[in-house]
Amino acid sequence: MANEPLRLRMPVSEEVLRGLTIGQELLLSGTVVTARDMGHKFLVEAFRPDFADLLQGAFVYHCGPIMVREGEGWRVVSAGPTTSNREEPYQAEVIARYRIAGVIGKGGMGEKTSRALQQHGAVYLHAVGGAGTLLARRVRRVREVRMLQEFGVPEAFWVLEVEDFPVVVTMDARGGSLHREVLAASEARRKELLGL
Amino acid sequence: MDPLVNWALELIRKTSTDLSPDVERWLRRAREEEAEGGTAWNVLDAMIRNVEMSREAGTPICQDTGLTTFFVQVPRGTDPEAIREALQQAIRLATQEGSLRPNSVHPITGKNTGDNLGVDLPHIEFEPSPDDGLVIDLLLKGGGSENTGAQYRLPDAGLKAGRDLEGVYRCVVDAVHHAQGHGCAPGILGVCIGGDRAGGYAGAKRQLLRPLDDTNPDPALAELEERLIRDCNRLGVGPMGFGGRTTVLAVKVGWKHRHPASFFVSIAYSCWADRHRRLEVRNGVGKVF
């Protein structure tokens, strides 16, 4: 499925998001907000009105970056994705309540998230795990950080402006999931190899 | 300052930012296997470019610099506690400068210690050195790959796996299937047959220190390793789980004696960024390999 990456600048309309299909490579520009285990629990435990404007139309990035203080601000040193399936219990609610454009992570997510993507016209984008340096260089600016004291560096909400951030659509708003397809094929091969 | 602190700091930096040449070679080989311009090829290409950029810039290959696990061979007459203190100091410095991400979290409160130190962190396994050299192996293994590790207890009826090498084969194929892309495939697998539950996992992790191009001295295990590489790659999980020819880069199998009643197969899954390096101190001079 070789294809030319599509350049996408946020904010992106729901119509554009609904038009994306699995396998499509993207170069994403705009605001992404990192959130992982503590962040998702925090966003779902109670509705956080002060996060509503920040998250609406933005991508939530499953990432716990390495950050270094530089003067008054911060520099991103390494910032690849973390495994997404840990957020499966929370993700659908985050999508519904905060109206995010979608999620960036790795490893894909389950059926509950897939249904939420369909319902709200959002997508799941996959970044290359372990490509920390390469992805950090696509961060143009660290806009702000929230809950740093409470959560620590990897778990805090980092608001990042990214430019041409390379991702692949692996779960779309039409119910498609590359992960479901690969899993089914792998399961068939597993049974064949083991004679089950 | 203790020169060991400086050498250990160099060990941590190099492990975190400069992937060992054998792993990089295996990634390049895997890229050749995939169709150029396809998603699997692009993913492997991004990994290789990232490795090059990280080495040049001296920045961590992956933001998840993992937990620090050291395997230390201590020469006679050297105080292990002094080594522990030097390693702790080096970790503190490496965290401050951004070579390590602060990854030590209280299990209940979630409070991050901020310096990568804590109860059993770093994890250090000491053993006597066979000569006068101090040898320190460091393994940095991220949380995502650690989560995909697995331990099987044979026999396992569901897998039709008995207490033999065929049973071991079945466990590993099953584990790689269940890992899918979650542990950052293509993975490198350390497998330990036998031991108790704790020793099995520890033994599996130690296998990850083996050079990728070595051959298992036990011919039966060497054959098992080859068979596992071939068949795990038939699962088609592919780089990052996008589908493709390369699901595992290598499989390394070792064993420990076991209790008659127990037959564990323990699997440590390393992401493609299998970060390990060695520091040797001989005649008062430290060198990182």
Side-chain angles (χ1 to χ4, degrees):
Chain A
M1 42 182 160
N3 55 30
E4 277 301 300
L6 178 71
R7 279 207 154 74
L8 214 59
R9 182 167 293 278
M10 288 181 279
V12 190
S13 72
E14 189 178 324
E15 194 189 341
V16 169
L17 291 172
R18 284 196 183 274
L20 296 172
T21 51
I22 56 171
Q24 175 70 54
E25 296 186 21
L26 303 177
L27 291 170
L28 192 69
S29 301
T31 305
V32 305
V33 182
T34 69
R36 38 183 290 161
D37 308 72
M38 285 168 144
H40 279 76
K41 186 163 178 278
F42 171 84
L43 290 173
V44 165
E45 264 170 0
F47 181 70
R48 313 285 178 181
D50 47 331
F51 277 76
D53 282 351
L54 176 67
L55 291 176
Q56 190 174 1
F59 276 88
V60 161
Y61 182 20
H62 296 157
C63 169
I66 298 180
M67 309 293 294
V68 172
R69 266 246 177 250
E70 216 167 49
E72 291 297 290
W74 291 89
R75 183 168 57 88
V76 193
V77 177
S78 193
T82 189
T83 311
S84 297
N85 64 1
R86 295 195 309 273
E87 315 316 336
E88 181 65 12
Y90 311 109
Q91 202 65 66
E93 211 169 324
V94 170
I95 292 167
R97 280 186 165 188
Y98 296 91
R99 309 312 301 258
I100 58 176
V103 176
I104 306 170
K106 75 173 172 81
M109 303 192 72
E111 296 306 325
K112 194 173 155 197
T113 300
S114 177
R115 281 193 298 276
L117 296 176
Q118 291 174 67
Q119 221 167 2
H120 300 283
V123 288
Y124 177 88
L125 308 177
H126 203 301
V128 173
T133 300
L134 186 142
L135 293 170
R137 293 205 186 161
R138 303 300 171 95
V139 178
R140 212 181 43 189
R141 195 161 75 91
V142 182
R143 216 167 73 190
E144 60 168 313
V145 56
R146 296 189 184 184
M147 302 297 283
L148 178 61
Q149 288 310 313
E150 294 84 346
F151 290 177
V153 168
E155 296 277 352
F157 296 98
W158 295 94
V159 183
L160 310 175
E161 297 294 334
V162 301
E163 188 78 34
D164 287 342
F165 195 84
V167 289
V168 182
V169 181
T170 57
M171 295 170 69
D172 60 30
R174 305 162 181 200
S177 165
L178 181 63
H179 308 285
R180 196 191 292 128
E181 291 176 10
V182 171
L183 179 70
S186 160
E187 172 62 4
R189 295 314 297 267
R190 181 188 76 105
K191 285 193 165 147
E192 200 180 299
L193 285 166
L194 304 185
L196 300 176
Chain B
M1 190 162 60
D2 182 352
L4 183 55
V5 175
N6 276 330
W7 296 327
L9 181 57
E10 179 55 28
L11 171 67
I12 296 168
R13 278 186 194 137
K14 199 164 171 84
T15 308
S16 173
T17 64
D18 187 359
L19 194 66
S20 47
D22 54 342
V23 183
E24 191 175 341
R25 220 162 45 234
W26 257 239
L27 287 171
R28 288 181 190 280
R29 214 172 60 177
R31 184 176 57 180
E32 282 170 23
E33 296 278 311
E34 306 286 353
E36 186 167 347
T39 303
W41 190 94
N42 287 346
V43 167
L44 287 162
D45 189 60
M47 288 169 181
I48 293 162
R49 279 187 292 133
N50 179 63
V51 167
E52 291 166 350
M53 287 162 91
S54 302
R55 182 186 302 122
E56 279 162 29
T59 51
I61 297 161
C62 178
Q63 77 291 337
D64 185 358
T65 53
L67 296 183
T68 45
T69 302
F70 292 97
F71 303 90
V72 182
Q73 299 172 39
V74 192
R76 203 180 289 271
T78 301
D79 176 17
E81 275 316 301
I83 297 171
R84 185 189 304 279
E85 278 165 28
L87 294 178
Q88 286 173 343
Q89 181 59 12
I91 286 172
R92 232 178 253 125
L93 295 170
T95 309
Q96 274 167 20
E97 70 176 24
S99 294
L100 294 176
R101 187 179 72 181
N103 273 352
S104 170
V105 172
H106 188 281
I108 300 151
T109 66
K111 182 81 186 157
N112 196 317
T113 64
D115 59 6
N116 270 310
L117 302 180
V119 176
D120 197 26
L121 282 180
H123 179 74
I124 308 176
E125 294 189 14
F126 290 105
E127 61 182 297
S129 172
D131 51 35
D132 305 338
L134 167 64
V135 178
I136 303 180
D137 284 302
L138 168 61
L139 178 67
L140 297 176
K141 188 167 178 298
S145 77
E146 186 69 7
N147 285 348
T148 55
Q151 191 167 58
Y152 294 80
R153 192 185 63 194
L154 297 184
D156 184 314
L159 291 174
K160 293 189 189 164
R163 294 182 149 197
D164 48 28
L165 286 185
E166 176 63 23
V168 174
Y169 163 85
R170 288 168 170 268
C171 296
V172 177
V173 170
D174 188 65
V176 171
H177 164 72
H178 282 107
Q180 291 289 300
H182 298 299
C184 281
I188 294 163
L189 304 185
V191 180
C192 180
I193 308 167
D196 63 2
R197 285 198 184 271
Y201 270 129
K205 210 171 248 192
R206 221 172 237 263
Q207 289 293 316
L208 297 175
L209 299 178
R210 279 172 54 189
L212 296 193
D213 53 4
D214 74 351
T215 304
N216 199 311
D218 180 330
L221 294 184
E223 195 188 319
L224 177 66
E225 290 175 356
E226 285 307 311
R227 185 179 171 213
L228 280 167
I229 293 167
R230 190 186 64 225
D231 287 357
C232 288
N233 285 335
R234 286 182 178 158
L235 290 170
V237 172
M240 290 320 293
F242 291 177
R245 292 171 185 277
T246 314
T247 300
V248 302
L249 291 176
V251 181
K252 302 292 178 190
V253 184
W255 59 270
K256 289 183 175 183
H257 279 100
R258 60 177 175 83
H259 185 279
S262 303
F263 194 123
F264 295 115
V265 178
S266 309
I267 297 155
Y269 189 110
S270 168
C271 61
W272 62 265
D274 179 11
R275 286 153 288 169
H276 62 92
R277 290 277 182 181
R278 170 172 282 194
L279 164 67
E280 288 187 19
V281 183
R282 294 184 191 280
N283 306 316
V285 181
K287 189 168 167 29
V288 177
F289 295 91

